[in-house]
Amino acid sequence: MRQTEARICLIEVMVMTTKSMLICPSNIVTYYHDDIKNEERAKKIVQAQRARRNRIIPLVAEEVAKGEYVLVENFIYYSALLKAQPDVRVPCLVYPGTSDEERLIHILKISIPLEKGTSWIFKNEHVMKLKQDHGLSEREIARKANFNTSTIIQYILDTRIPPNIREKA
């Protein structure tokens, strides 16, 4: 009789305490977000989010210090709130702070596949911050964010190109 062997591979699981809070968008910072210039468009995005009436809290942030928050998910809604109602408290799911590098990797993991409305420059800014501030290569970023290296490379431009030209890219 042949014996079957089962192996279980456990990945590190971290339990994080989250809390739901009401926070003004103006009290949340980001590394970069796309500005919404048209207030009517911003209001429509906010109304559409409210119309969903689901129990999912749309904004997700990390508390990096007491009362200091960094946005990690739903940047389009955040931009709309900043334009339409920056001082109105909105529900926000708050996680404990992680390292700057982990936070940037998380933002890429969410924004590249899920937040289609974020611009190319948004993703470029986050990738370049990982490269310049944390010394990560395209390959390391791709590995940590679970993407192909080619996916990360498409968000990199030559740094000699002036920022105003890069924004038009």
Side-chain angles (χ1 to χ4, degrees):
M1 189 157 149
R2 195 169 159 187
Q3 239 181 342
T4 306
E5 184 178 306
R7 292 183 185 204
I8 299 174
C9 178
L10 296 176
I11 298 173
E12 180 181 342
V13 176
M14 294 173 39
V15 177
M16 295 181 135
T17 311
T18 61
K19 52 189 172 183
S20 177
M21 299 176 68
L22 292 173
I23 305 173
C24 295
S26 59
N27 293 336
I28 301 172
V29 298
T30 64
Y31 295 103
Y32 180 88
H33 68 275
D34 297 316
D35 279 332
I36 295 178
K37 308 253 187 278
N38 183 321
E39 191 169 342
E40 283 304 310
R41 180 172 177 258
K43 286 179 180 177
K44 285 180 182 178
I45 292 169
V46 171
Q47 288 171 350
Q49 182 65 46
R50 288 198 177 129
R52 290 188 180 138
R53 295 192 188 271
N54 56 18
R55 293 189 178 158
I56 296 173
I57 297 173
L59 289 183
V60 181
E62 287 187 9
E63 187 171 25
V64 293
K66 186 71 175 161
E68 294 179 23
Y69 308 98
V70 177
L71 190 70
V72 294
E73 292 180 27
N74 211 335
F75 291 86
I76 298 161
Y77 180 55
Y78 169 80
S79 294
L81 287 169
L82 273 183
K83 184 68 174 179
Q85 50 191 43
D87 298 316
V88 175
R89 295 182 339 157
V90 295
C92 185
L93 190 60
V94 179
Y95 285 91
T98 60
S99 73
D100 192 51
E101 181 182 318
E102 289 174 309
R103 194 174 307 116
L104 287 162
I105 292 291
H106 175 82
I107 290 169
L108 288 176
K109 281 181 176 180
I110 297 298
S111 66
I112 291 175
L114 301 176
E115 293 195 25
K116 297 296 185 192
T118 55
S119 67
W120 178 91
I121 194 82
F122 172 91
K123 294 163 184 108
N124 168 264
E125 289 288 328
H126 290 86
V127 169
M128 295 310 290
K129 191 159 187 60
L130 284 164
K131 286 177 62 67
Q132 294 166 353
D133 296 356
H134 299 283
L136 297 179
S137 69
E138 294 89 352
R139 191 175 186 186
E140 290 170 313
I141 296 168
R143 183 181 52 79
K144 289 181 179 207
N146 296 323
F147 293 114
N148 294 327
T149 304
S150 61
T151 301
I152 298 303
I153 289 172
Q154 71 183 340
Y155 297 113
I156 298 173
L157 269 184
D158 190 331
T159 55
R160 295 173 294 181
I161 299 171
N164 62 327
I165 304 298
R166 284 190 326 182
E167 285 185 29
K168 293 179 181 178

